[in-house]
Amino acid sequence: MAVQQKQRLGIMGGTFDPIHYGHLVTAEAARHRFNLDKVIFVPSGHPPHKQERKLTLPDERLMMTLLATVANENFVVSDWEVRRPQISYTFDTMQAFHQQYGDEAELFFITGADAVLEIMQWRKIEELVDFCSFIAATRPGYRLDNFSLPPKLAAKLYFMEVPALAISSSDIRRRVQSGEPVKYLLPETVEMYIAKHGLYRDGE
Ligand code: NAP
Protein backbone atom coordinates (compact mmCIF):
# COMPACT_ATOMS: atom_id res chain seq x y z
CA MET A 1 0.00 0.00 0.00
CA ALA A 2 1.32 3.46 -0.93
CA VAL A 3 2.41 5.63 2.00
CA GLN A 4 0.44 8.87 2.03
CA GLN A 5 2.68 11.96 2.10
CA LYS A 6 1.97 14.68 4.62
CA GLN A 7 0.35 17.77 3.15
CA ARG A 8 2.66 20.80 3.24
CA LEU A 9 0.76 24.04 3.76
CA GLY A 10 2.03 27.61 3.66
CA ILE A 11 0.09 30.10 5.78
CA MET A 12 0.83 33.58 4.44
CA GLY A 13 0.23 36.10 7.22
CA GLY A 14 0.22 39.84 6.71
CA THR A 15 -1.77 43.02 7.00
CA PHE A 16 -1.87 43.32 3.18
CA ASP A 17 -2.70 47.03 3.23
CA PRO A 18 -2.59 46.73 0.26
CA ILE A 19 -1.42 43.38 -1.11
CA HIS A 20 1.15 43.79 -3.93
CA TYR A 21 3.38 41.79 -6.27
CA GLY A 22 6.09 41.47 -3.57
CA HIS A 23 3.67 39.40 -1.48
CA LEU A 24 2.56 37.29 -4.45
CA VAL A 25 6.14 36.58 -5.56
CA THR A 26 7.03 35.68 -1.95
CA ALA A 27 4.17 33.18 -1.74
CA GLU A 28 5.03 31.59 -5.09
CA ALA A 29 8.76 31.40 -4.26
CA ALA A 30 8.00 29.79 -0.90
CA ARG A 31 5.63 27.31 -2.54
CA HIS A 32 8.32 26.29 -5.00
CA ARG A 33 11.29 26.22 -2.60
CA PHE A 34 9.54 24.42 0.25
CA ASN A 35 7.47 22.17 -1.98
CA LEU A 36 4.18 23.41 -0.54
CA ASP A 37 0.89 21.98 -1.78
CA LYS A 38 -0.88 25.31 -1.39
CA VAL A 39 -0.51 28.72 0.20
CA ILE A 40 -3.35 30.06 2.31
CA PHE A 41 -3.36 33.87 2.58
CA VAL A 42 -4.62 35.06 5.96
CA PRO A 43 -5.12 38.84 6.10
CA SER A 44 -4.74 40.08 9.67
CA GLY A 45 -7.93 41.09 11.38
CA HIS A 46 -6.64 43.19 14.26
CA PRO A 47 -2.82 42.92 14.41
CA PRO A 48 -1.39 43.11 17.93
CA HIS A 49 1.35 45.60 16.99
CA LYS A 50 -0.59 48.04 14.78
CA GLN A 51 -2.47 50.31 17.16
CA GLU A 52 -0.79 53.53 16.00
CA ARG A 53 -1.90 53.59 12.32
CA LYS A 54 -5.53 53.42 11.22
CA LEU A 55 -5.70 50.33 9.02
CA THR A 56 -7.96 49.87 6.02
CA LEU A 57 -11.07 47.93 7.07
CA PRO A 58 -10.45 44.16 7.39
CA ASP A 59 -13.16 43.37 4.80
CA GLU A 60 -11.52 45.68 2.26
CA ARG A 61 -8.08 44.11 2.82
CA LEU A 62 -9.70 40.68 2.51
CA MET A 63 -11.36 41.68 -0.78
CA MET A 64 -8.07 42.99 -2.23
CA THR A 65 -6.37 39.72 -1.22
CA LEU A 66 -9.09 37.72 -2.97
CA LEU A 67 -8.76 39.83 -6.13
CA ALA A 68 -4.96 39.47 -6.14
CA THR A 69 -4.86 35.69 -5.71
CA VAL A 70 -7.79 34.58 -7.87
CA ALA A 71 -5.66 33.59 -10.89
CA ASN A 72 -3.37 31.18 -9.02
CA GLU A 73 -4.86 27.73 -8.43
CA ASN A 74 -2.40 27.07 -5.59
CA PHE A 75 -3.41 30.17 -3.64
CA VAL A 76 -6.45 30.31 -1.38
CA VAL A 77 -7.63 32.99 1.04
CA SER A 78 -8.90 32.50 4.57
CA ASP A 79 -11.13 35.03 6.34
CA TRP A 80 -10.40 33.40 9.70
CA GLU A 81 -8.67 36.42 11.31
CA VAL A 82 -10.90 38.99 9.61
CA ARG A 83 -14.08 37.38 10.99
CA ARG A 84 -12.85 37.34 14.59
CA PRO A 85 -13.28 40.43 16.78
CA GLN A 86 -10.27 39.48 18.91
CA ILE A 87 -6.66 40.61 18.40
CA SER A 88 -5.04 38.43 15.72
CA TYR A 89 -2.28 36.47 17.41
CA THR A 90 -0.43 34.10 15.10
CA PHE A 91 -0.57 31.40 17.77
CA ASP A 92 -4.40 31.37 17.69
CA THR A 93 -4.47 31.33 13.90
CA MET A 94 -1.94 28.54 13.52
CA GLN A 95 -3.57 26.51 16.27
CA ALA A 96 -6.87 26.72 14.37
CA PHE A 97 -5.19 25.47 11.16
CA HIS A 98 -3.38 22.77 13.13
CA GLN A 99 -6.71 21.59 14.56
CA GLN A 100 -8.38 21.73 11.14
CA TYR A 101 -5.69 19.79 9.26
CA GLY A 102 -4.36 17.70 12.17
CA ASP A 103 -0.99 15.97 12.27
CA GLU A 104 -1.50 15.05 8.61
CA ALA A 105 -0.26 18.47 7.56
CA GLU A 106 3.06 20.23 7.99
CA LEU A 107 2.53 23.97 8.52
CA PHE A 108 4.82 26.82 7.42
CA PHE A 109 4.02 30.38 8.51
CA ILE A 110 5.27 32.78 5.83
CA THR A 111 5.77 36.47 6.54
CA GLY A 112 8.16 39.42 6.32
CA ALA A 113 11.51 39.24 8.11
CA ASP A 114 10.89 42.52 9.95
CA ALA A 115 7.88 40.96 11.63
CA VAL A 116 9.90 37.85 12.52
CA LEU A 117 12.61 39.93 14.23
CA GLU A 118 10.18 40.40 17.10
CA ILE A 119 9.20 36.75 17.16
CA MET A 120 10.40 36.10 20.72
CA GLN A 121 7.72 38.55 21.91
CA TRP A 122 4.93 36.73 20.06
CA ARG A 123 2.22 35.09 22.11
CA LYS A 124 3.02 31.49 23.14
CA ILE A 125 5.96 31.27 20.72
CA GLU A 126 7.46 28.28 22.58
CA GLU A 127 4.27 26.28 21.95
CA LEU A 128 3.80 27.60 18.40
CA VAL A 129 7.19 26.30 17.31
CA ASP A 130 6.10 22.77 18.26
CA PHE A 131 3.66 22.57 15.35
CA CYS A 132 4.89 25.08 12.79
CA SER A 133 7.96 26.26 10.87
CA PHE A 134 8.60 29.86 9.76
CA ILE A 135 9.63 31.34 6.43
CA ALA A 136 10.83 34.94 6.71
CA ALA A 137 11.01 36.89 3.45
CA THR A 138 13.73 39.54 3.25
CA ARG A 139 14.20 42.50 0.94
CA PRO A 140 17.46 42.69 -1.10
CA GLY A 141 20.39 43.89 0.98
CA TYR A 142 18.64 43.01 4.23
CA ARG A 143 21.13 42.50 7.07
CA LEU A 144 20.54 40.30 10.08
CA ASP A 145 23.08 41.63 12.55
CA ASN A 146 22.92 40.55 16.18
CA PHE A 147 19.86 38.36 15.63
CA SER A 148 19.98 35.16 17.59
CA LEU A 149 17.28 32.75 18.67
CA PRO A 150 16.98 29.73 20.94
CA PRO A 151 18.17 26.63 18.98
CA LYS A 152 14.69 25.05 18.90
CA LEU A 153 13.29 28.10 17.09
CA ALA A 154 16.36 28.73 14.93
CA ALA A 155 16.07 25.17 13.57
CA LYS A 156 12.58 25.94 12.27
CA LEU A 157 13.16 29.42 10.84
CA TYR A 158 14.17 29.83 7.18
CA PHE A 159 15.14 33.13 5.55
CA MET A 160 14.39 33.67 1.88
CA GLU A 161 15.52 36.72 -0.13
CA VAL A 162 12.80 38.02 -2.43
CA PRO A 163 13.95 40.80 -4.81
CA ALA A 164 10.32 41.74 -5.60
CA LEU A 165 9.96 42.84 -1.97
CA ALA A 166 11.57 46.12 -3.03
CA ILE A 167 7.85 46.89 -3.42
CA SER A 168 6.20 47.83 -0.14
CA SER A 169 2.66 48.57 1.01
CA SER A 170 3.74 51.79 2.70
CA ASP A 171 5.29 53.08 -0.55
CA ILE A 172 2.10 52.22 -2.46
CA ARG A 173 -0.02 54.10 0.10
CA ARG A 174 2.31 57.09 -0.16
CA ARG A 175 2.18 57.00 -3.96
CA VAL A 176 -1.64 56.92 -4.02
CA GLN A 177 -1.79 59.86 -1.65
CA SER A 178 0.63 61.94 -3.72
CA GLY A 179 -0.90 60.94 -7.06
CA GLU A 180 2.14 58.96 -8.28
CA PRO A 181 1.55 55.82 -10.37
CA VAL A 182 1.21 52.41 -8.75
CA LYS A 183 0.75 50.50 -12.01
CA TYR A 184 2.89 47.32 -12.22
CA LEU A 185 3.48 47.30 -8.46
CA LEU A 186 0.29 45.39 -7.72
CA PRO A 187 -2.40 43.53 -9.69
CA GLU A 188 -4.60 45.74 -11.84
CA THR A 189 -7.73 44.49 -10.08
CA VAL A 190 -6.33 45.71 -6.74
CA GLU A 191 -5.33 49.02 -8.29
CA MET A 192 -8.89 49.43 -9.58
CA TYR A 193 -10.37 48.50 -6.19
CA ILE A 194 -8.19 51.15 -4.49
CA ALA A 195 -9.29 53.81 -6.98
CA LYS A 196 -12.97 52.83 -6.88
CA HIS A 197 -13.12 52.90 -3.07
CA GLY A 198 -10.89 55.96 -2.65
CA LEU A 199 -8.42 54.14 -0.42
CA TYR A 200 -5.21 55.83 0.84
CA ARG A 201 -6.08 59.24 -0.63
CA ASP A 202 -6.01 60.98 2.72
CA GLY A 203 -2.76 59.35 3.82
CA GLU A 204 -4.23 56.96 6.35
P1 NAP B 1 4.46 44.33 9.39
O1 NAP B 1 5.08 44.60 10.72
O2 NAP B 1 3.52 45.34 8.84
O3 NAP B 1 5.50 44.04 8.27
C1 NAP B 1 6.84 43.84 8.50
C2 NAP B 1 7.52 43.79 7.15
O4 NAP B 1 7.24 42.53 6.55
C3 NAP B 1 7.06 44.85 6.19
O5 NAP B 1 8.18 45.25 5.45
C4 NAP B 1 6.05 44.12 5.33
O6 NAP B 1 5.98 44.65 4.02
C5 NAP B 1 6.60 42.72 5.28
N1 NAP B 1 5.57 41.68 5.18
C6 NAP B 1 4.47 41.52 5.95
N2 NAP B 1 3.81 40.41 5.62
C7 NAP B 1 4.51 39.85 4.60
C8 NAP B 1 4.34 38.67 3.85
N3 NAP B 1 3.32 37.82 4.10
N4 NAP B 1 5.24 38.39 2.88
C9 NAP B 1 6.27 39.22 2.64
N5 NAP B 1 6.50 40.35 3.33
C10 NAP B 1 5.62 40.66 4.31
O7 NAP B 1 3.82 42.92 9.44
P2 NAP B 1 2.35 42.54 9.50
O8 NAP B 1 1.86 42.44 8.10
O9 NAP B 1 1.60 43.42 10.44
O10 NAP B 1 2.45 41.11 10.22
C11 NAP B 1 2.99 40.03 9.58
C12 NAP B 1 2.36 38.77 10.18
O11 NAP B 1 2.97 38.49 11.44
C13 NAP B 1 0.87 38.90 10.41
O12 NAP B 1 0.24 37.69 10.10
C14 NAP B 1 0.79 39.19 11.90
O13 NAP B 1 -0.44 38.78 12.50
C15 NAP B 1 1.95 38.38 12.42
N6 NAP B 1 2.40 38.89 13.73
C16 NAP B 1 2.01 38.22 14.83
C17 NAP B 1 2.37 38.69 16.08
C18 NAP B 1 1.91 37.91 17.30
O14 NAP B 1 1.30 36.87 17.14
N7 NAP B 1 2.18 38.41 18.48
C19 NAP B 1 3.11 39.86 16.20
C20 NAP B 1 3.49 40.53 15.04
C21 NAP B 1 3.11 40.04 13.79
P3 NAP B 1 4.59 45.26 3.50
O15 NAP B 1 4.31 46.42 4.39
O16 NAP B 1 4.88 45.64 2.10
O17 NAP B 1 3.59 44.16 3.66
Side-chain angles (χ1 to χ4, degrees), residues 15-20 23 56 61 64 168-170 172-173 186 190 194 200:
T15 308
F16 304 136
D17 194 10
I19 191 163
H20 52 67
H23 299 127
T56 305
R61 291 183 287 105
M64 289 190 279
S168 76
S169 299
S170 56
I172 290 172
R173 294 193 301 270
L186 73 183
V190 179
I194 291 170
Y200 312 126

Side-chain angles (χ1 to χ4, degrees), residues 81-99:
E81 287 196 2
V82 165
R83 291 285 156 255
R84 296 175 84 229
Q86 297 94 325
I87 289 180
S88 312
Y89 291 109
T90 299
F91 175 81
D92 299 333
T93 305
M94 295 306 281
Q95 190 182 44
F97 282 107
H98 182 56
Q99 282 165 358

Side-chain angles (χ1 to χ4, degrees), residues 50-69:
K50 289 267 168 92
Q51 319 299 357
E52 75 284 2
R53 184 174 78 80
K54 201 173 143 231
L55 298 178
T56 305
L57 290 175
D59 275 327
E60 290 186 312
R61 291 183 287 105
L62 174 70
M63 185 55 76
M64 289 190 279
T65 307
L66 283 164
L67 289 170
T69 53

